[in-house]
Amino acid sequence: QVQLVGSGGGLVQAGGSLRLSCTASGRAFNPYSIAWFRQAPGQGREFVASLRWGSGTATYADSVKSRFTISRDNAQNAAYLQMDSLKPEDTAVYFCAHSNSYSGPLEAPYGSWGQGTQVTVSS
């Protein structure tokens, strides 16, 4: 079983930055990938970014490309989402997720999820 703990959310003005963290623990942590999803009020969960743990290959949703950067720290078993040039439409609860075999934008293949961290961007 893999446990994920997300943190780093908060309130920021449009144009500002935040860095989210996702720390993993558990004997089963042998990730193929880590991903970030988000869920805005009244909407479904949407893919934000993913990172293949071994190669470092990143994939981004078009809406965040060139503004967000996903990264990892192997020694800390942690992943990060650096969010720059934030917009009010980025307001959502952000979740990190882990998969042993998949790195795409679908939710179902990610077997472990963090508890979510709130990001609010004011205009």
Side-chain angles (χ1 to χ4, degrees):
Q1 185 74 17
V2 175
Q3 293 83 40
L4 301 176
V5 177
S7 62
L11 173 64
V12 64
Q13 289 189 329
S17 298
L18 282 174
R19 190 175 85 148
L20 304 183
S21 299
C22 179
T23 302
S25 62
R27 294 176 60 187
F29 186 67
N30 182 25
Y32 180 77
S33 73
I34 290 286
W36 288 94
F37 288 76
R38 66 186 182 187
Q39 186 167 18
Q43 298 188 23
R45 198 175 296 183
E46 67 169 348
F47 172 79
V48 176
S50 66
L51 182 74
R52 292 192 184 183
W53 199 265
S55 67
T57 302
T59 302
Y60 297 94
D62 287 344
S63 59
V64 306
K65 203 172 292 184
S66 79
R67 298 189 298 121
F68 290 10
T69 303
I70 189 171
S71 62
R72 72 197 186 303
D73 183 329
N74 288 335
Q76 299 294 323
N77 281 352
Y80 307 98
L81 186 68
Q82 177 67 39
M83 305 186 295
D84 298 319
S85 302
L86 282 161
K87 305 175 181 180
E89 51 264 44
D90 294 319
T91 295
V93 178
Y94 284 71
F95 299 87
C96 59
H98 155 269
S99 173
N100 285 327
S101 60
Y102 176 79
S103 64
L106 302 178
E107 291 185 54
Y110 292 93
S112 300
W113 291 79
Q115 82 284 9
T117 184
Q118 176 72 46
V119 172
T120 303
V121 184
S122 63
S123 56

